Amino acid sequence: MTLTAHRKMQLYGALLLLPAAVLLATFAYLPTVMTVINSLFLPGFRGEPAEFVGIENYQMLFDDPTFWQVARNNLLYALGTIPTSIALALGMALFVNGKLPGRGFVRMAYFTPTILPMIAAANIWMFFYAPQIGLFNSLLERLGFSGINWLGDPSVALGSVIVMSIWKEAGFFMIFYLAALQSLPPDLKEASDLEGTSRWSFFWRVTFPLLMPTTLFVLINALINAVRVVDHLFILTKGGPNNATNLLLYYVYENAFSFFDRTTAATITVVILLVLAVVATLKFTILDRRTHYQ
Amino acid sequence: MRTRIPLALSALTAGLLSAGQAVADDPVELTMYYPVAVGGALTDVVDDLVEEFESGHPDIDVEAIYAGNYDDTRVRAMSAIEAGDTPQLSVLFSIDLYELLEQDAIVAFDDLVETDEEREWLDSFYPGLMENGQLDGKTYGIPFQRSTIVLYWNKDAFEAAGLDPDTPPENWEEMAEMAATVREASDGEQWGVMVPSTGYPYWMFQAFAFQNGHRLMSEDGTEVYFDDPAAVEALEYWVSLADEYDAMPDGTIEWGTLRQNFLEESTAMMWHTTGNLTAVRKEADFDFGVAMLPMKTQRGSPTGGGNFYVFKDASEEEQRAAMTFIRWMTAPERAAEWSIETGYMGVSPAAYETEALREYVNDFAPAAVARDQLDHATAELSTYQGGRVRRALDNAVQAALTGQMTPKEALEQAQQEAESALRRYAR
């Protein structure tokens, strides 16, 4: 009797999991497996069957200098966007968490970039960056400096894309920090005020450690975003000039849909998946242990 | 109450009648993707045209879907095919031909036409516009939003610089000198000339190369000649506009914002597609002119733009309906209307003989420049592995313009990349 009830519970649980499992299998696991398989074959030419080539596609990819340039660009992009946008987000959250006039308005202003679609934001920034008619250069020229070709000069193009991404991301992360700050128990602040703790050491000893779970969450989001970025490249640079702003996912897109080279696209995708898997493992083993959850 | 019953009855009868008709004669449903590569509300123009067509052809239902630029539209169409939801027809890049054939996606119009009248229609377009749509003697693409690159110049700026406002540059030397003159006369406030180098750099480069008497690819799309001395010289000239003459900004110039640059008079000349003409005309608050591109050894511009294609997976009935629609869209009156609304050229000589376009050209001479330039036009760069080959050339042009490589180095590298992409096709 107890066994059948137990069985029933098991069946009940399995049925509850079924919809999610089916969706995940269809849209996550199956494509992943297909991608791995595709990366091991060379497609047939004009209707001929595909040929199994093992890891040859990977060797080809690692011999491709553009791939390494794109990977390096992506690393720079991640290093450029993640720490800055997180620090900015925290700063903005602390600022609008305090008592200041027009707080609601400031919060909304900080959040506005986030609700804009990426394509719209990129279009706005394209005109900010435009060399002759753009906002930045008219400001520079008014100050007596000569303008910069923000998106057309390979040495500054990636930086320009990074700045725009920070603008877009910081407001989003601010919301999480703001929520976390407001859930901190006020008695901690009261106690530290009684003890006469300086604001500085209160922040570093109390607030910041308590925000660690949020920081971790934001960090992971930022990392995912850094790999996922593709849309604003369409508008701003198309990966140019001469691949200076080409990032991994855009390179995948280019291979798959501009070059009709599904094999290379699949191979790069598998490499990205592997790297992300390593990062996820590091997160679970190292960062989690150092994070203080309430 | 008394009046309502007959009303309801008649509504019912009418409903039954039309339902009966619908069963007997279901409209053929067509899906078409199309791109817009220039600014302006061209989607409205297309929607209006489609509506007009439908009201004259109740048996055909066309769903026209705007799908972004040429690349985006190709992606939309190809993904739809892969998902088993093939559109019946689409407007795609005229140079997508090889890829579409390689994917076995399209049919030749020669196999669709039945009557003599239809065969005549197939021969009614400018031969120069047919070049990119034909292979091995068969026609796969029908010209629709077609262009050449033209030179827009600001007459006011020319006058201010002491140049004759009505004389555009004839050749490379004149263009460089005039551009430098404008730059100097404006104390560095205004650039002389801008040639876009994002979006479609290979297209602009092809114009330079062709003006220097050089064609970049073989007719069968299996070979390219990027590192030829004539091509190198062409890229050197392009680079020199910024480097030597200080008449063009350093770095790359953005395709998408160039028209705005011209409209705000930050450059006195620009090279751009004729598809922008109507928008420039509407927005410019200065006097401007449109000319054929300057020459080195010969005049020249590649053609550009989009063609109609009919897809293989469509049923015979749908393909016939698609033909009817394409014939209607490319008829002289519509081609004239489309040309007036956009600046793209009328695709057939007959379009320029319609009253509407004749009057328009009479009144606004720049509208005929793209067509006249057709006599000096060449097919747009189109090869197997087209995406990769164009990208190699794009990178070379940008590397040279941004000073990362010399034109010769850049083009040699592009040649190498293109050759390895084309290896399997070179027989």
Side-chain angles (χ1 to χ4, degrees):
Chain A
M1 189 63 201
T2 37
L3 193 73
T4 40
H6 184 63
R7 273 287 147 104
K8 262 189 183 165
M9 280 307 283
Q10 276 188 331
L11 187 68
Y12 184 58
L15 281 174
L16 282 177
L17 286 177
L18 189 66
V22 168
L23 283 176
L24 268 176
T26 322
F27 295 109
Y29 304 141
L30 191 67
T32 311
V33 174
M34 294 295 292
T35 306
V36 173
I37 294 175
N38 278 339
S39 75
L40 300 174
F41 282 85
L42 209 59
F45 179 46
R46 287 197 176 154
E48 283 166 28
E51 182 195 348
F52 180 79
V53 293
I55 58 162
E56 200 187 303
N57 290 328
Y58 292 89
Q59 285 164 343
M60 294 281 284
L61 184 67
F62 294 144
D63 285 341
D64 172 13
T66 311
F67 170 72
W68 290 111
Q69 191 190 351
V70 168
R72 210 196 57 188
N73 285 347
N74 219 140
L75 188 67
L76 288 175
Y77 177 86
L79 291 175
T81 51
I82 298 173
T84 320
S85 58
I86 291 181
L88 259 178
L90 183 55
M92 295 196 302
L94 288 169
F95 179 58
V96 297
N97 193 38
K99 292 190 182 70
L100 75 155
R103 194 171 61 174
F105 177 77
V106 179
R107 284 182 186 177
M108 193 196 67
Y110 281 165
F111 195 58
T112 307
T114 306
I115 51 178
L116 280 179
M118 201 64 190
I119 299 286
N123 263 313
I124 297 173
W125 278 71
M126 194 167 89
F127 278 95
F128 284 177
Y129 280 140
Q132 279 72 41
I133 52 177
L135 176 72
F136 292 157
N137 278 357
S138 10
L139 286 177
L140 276 180
E141 273 155 29
R142 221 160 284 169
L143 293 173
F145 298 101
S146 65
I148 296 168
N149 192 348
W150 299 98
L151 297 170
D153 179 344
S155 55
V156 291
L158 186 60
S160 305
V161 175
I162 288 174
V163 169
M164 186 203 130
S165 301
I166 294 172
W167 172 83
K168 183 95 170 82
E169 300 238 285
F172 182 53
F173 298 151
M174 177 203 73
I175 291 294
F176 296 110
Y177 274 123
L178 190 58
L181 282 173
Q182 294 188 341
S183 68
L184 291 185
D187 37 342
L188 291 173
K189 180 70 181 154
E190 286 158 18
S192 75
D193 283 349
L194 279 178
E195 300 281 342
T197 321
S198 73
R199 290 178 65 169
W200 184 247
S201 62
F202 177 75
F203 174 76
W204 282 113
R205 295 291 174 82
V206 182
T207 315
F208 191 68
L210 285 176
L211 288 176
M212 258 327 256
T214 311
T215 306
L216 185 66
F217 172 78
V218 164
L219 183 68
I220 288 170
N221 261 293
L223 199 69
I224 294 171
N225 284 349
V227 181
R228 206 177 56 177
V229 55
V230 62
D231 23 15
H232 55 279
L233 296 183
F234 280 104
I235 305 292
L236 287 178
T237 61
K238 298 226 185 299
N242 192 18
N243 285 324
T245 59
N246 205 343
L247 302 181
L248 283 168
L249 206 60
Y250 190 79
Y251 196 48
V252 172
Y253 170 88
E254 239 185 359
N255 271 287
F257 297 110
S258 298
F259 307 161
F260 287 105
D261 185 350
R262 304 284 161 87
T263 312
T264 307
T267 313
I268 307 171
T269 309
V270 173
V271 173
I272 299 176
L273 279 177
L274 286 178
V275 172
L276 287 181
V278 170
V279 173
T281 318
L282 286 179
K283 181 250 160 191
F284 284 125
T285 53
I286 299 173
L287 270 178
D288 251 11
R289 246 181 272 147
R290 290 164 177 260
T291 304
H292 170 82
Y293 291 99
Q294 278 171 297
Chain B
M1 200 64 203
R2 250 184 310 173
T3 48
R4 271 168 93 179
I5 293 171
L7 253 180
L9 267 179
S10 63
L12 192 66
T13 357
L16 279 173
L17 273 177
S18 64
Q21 247 173 356
V23 171
D25 202 9
D26 240 355
V28 185
E29 282 176 26
L30 300 178
T31 304
M32 162 181 109
Y33 296 108
Y34 70 95
V36 172
V38 296
L42 293 199
T43 50
D44 293 344
V45 182
V46 173
D47 289 345
D48 288 348
L49 282 172
V50 167
E51 214 168 280
E52 199 185 327
F53 170 79
E54 282 177 335
S55 67
H57 299 76
D59 52 331
I60 302 177
D61 220 16
V62 183
E63 196 189 349
I65 303 170
Y66 163 62
N69 64 24
Y70 288 113
D71 283 336
D72 303 339
T73 311
R74 177 181 53 227
V75 172
R76 280 289 287 274
M78 298 309 288
S79 339
I81 292 174
E82 222 153 89
D85 186 21
T86 314
Q88 287 70 35
L89 75 160
S90 283
V91 177
L92 300 174
F93 225 159
S94 64
I95 51 176
D96 283 339
L97 178 66
Y98 289 101
E99 263 123 348
L100 291 168
L101 281 176
E102 220 170 319
Q103 309 275 329
D104 207 17
I106 50 171
V107 289
F109 281 90
D110 312 71
D111 303 334
L112 291 179
V113 294
E114 284 171 359
T115 62
D116 284 342
E117 196 194 347
E118 284 172 349
R119 248 164 249 132
E120 255 170 54
W121 164 76
L122 205 51
D123 289 331
S124 68
F125 301 95
Y126 282 110
L129 297 179
M130 299 297 276
E131 237 181 297
N132 275 117
Q134 292 174 325
L135 191 70
D136 298 335
K138 284 199 167 183
T139 301
Y140 296 90
I142 294 295
F144 175 56
Q145 48 185 50
R146 297 303 300 275
S147 56
T148 56
I149 307 164
V150 291
L151 177 104
Y152 296 75
W153 90 95
N154 180 333
K155 293 187 177 176
D156 293 0
F158 267 47
E159 190 152 28
L163 298 166
D164 177 4
D166 292 317
T167 313
E170 271 283 312
N171 54 43
W172 283 7
E173 222 182 283
E174 277 179 30
M175 187 174 84
E177 276 162 14
M178 286 177 173
T181 308
V182 170
R183 179 88 180 136
E184 265 167 46
S186 72
D187 263 345
E189 286 293 302
Q190 194 174 36
W191 290 100
V193 62
M194 288 193 197
V195 180
S197 40
T198 71
Y200 313 93
Y202 70 89
W203 198 42
M204 295 289 154
F205 177 64
Q206 212 192 336
F208 282 111
F210 194 62
Q211 287 153 14
N212 204 17
H214 181 62
R215 211 181 128 102
L216 289 173
M217 77 286 189
S218 66
E219 297 227 344
D220 62 356
T222 60
E223 277 181 58
V224 295
Y225 318 110
F226 294 165
D227 58 352
D228 187 278
V232 174
E233 195 185 357
L235 190 51
E236 278 167 356
Y237 171 70
W238 189 353
V239 171
S240 78
L241 290 173
D243 272 9
E244 261 172 58
Y245 295 94
D246 189 34
M248 189 180 77
D250 279 327
T252 55
I253 292 170
E254 172 59 42
W255 166 275
T257 53
L258 178 51
R259 189 177 82 203
Q260 202 58 32
N261 272 308
F262 182 72
L263 289 171
E264 300 200 359
E265 304 196 58
S266 76
T267 179
M269 290 180 267
M270 70 163 175
W271 288 26
H272 221 299
T273 160
T274 185
N276 265 320
L277 178 57
T278 302
V280 171
R281 184 189 192 197
K282 278 185 187 150
E283 290 169 42
D285 45 20
F286 51 86
D287 207 6
F288 76 96
V290 174
M292 291 191 212
L293 294 180
M295 57 190 270
K296 172 74 176 170
T297 60
Q298 62 180 30
R299 286 209 174 279
S301 163
T303 58
N307 278 347
F308 276 113
Y309 297 93
V310 173
F311 290 97
K312 208 169 206 167
D313 285 350
S315 72
E316 206 171 306
E317 191 194 12
E318 288 168 343
Q319 289 177 344
R320 291 296 307 166
M323 273 277 294
T324 309
F325 177 67
I326 296 172
R327 275 191 63 190
W328 187 88
M329 284 291 270
T330 53
E333 307 81 60
R334 245 78 54 190
E337 189 182 335
W338 177 247
S339 177
I340 292 168
E341 293 277 358
T342 60
Y344 283 111
M345 61 179 106
V347 284
S348 59
Y352 286 91
E353 279 155 29
T354 58
E355 210 184 306
L357 196 50
R358 232 182 18 220
E359 267 176 29
Y360 186 69
V361 169
N362 253 341
D363 176 48
F364 182 56
V369 172
R371 175 205 56 186
D372 296 340
Q373 196 171 236
L374 262 186
D375 294 339
H376 313 282
T378 177
E380 185 169 3
L381 178 62
S382 172
T383 62
Y384 287 100
Q385 292 286 307
R388 209 178 276 283
V389 169
R390 286 196 295 275
R391 186 67 205 223
L393 187 54
D394 285 351
N395 283 339
V397 168
Q398 294 183 340
L401 285 172
T402 57
Q404 289 179 312
M405 291 184 202
T406 67
K408 189 158 184 287
E409 285 166 359
L411 288 171
E412 274 167 2
Q413 187 182 322
Q415 177 72 21
Q416 237 170 24
E417 275 175 45
E419 267 173 19
S420 79
L422 288 170
R423 210 172 23 201
R424 53 160 58 151
Y425 305 91
R427 285 162 283 214

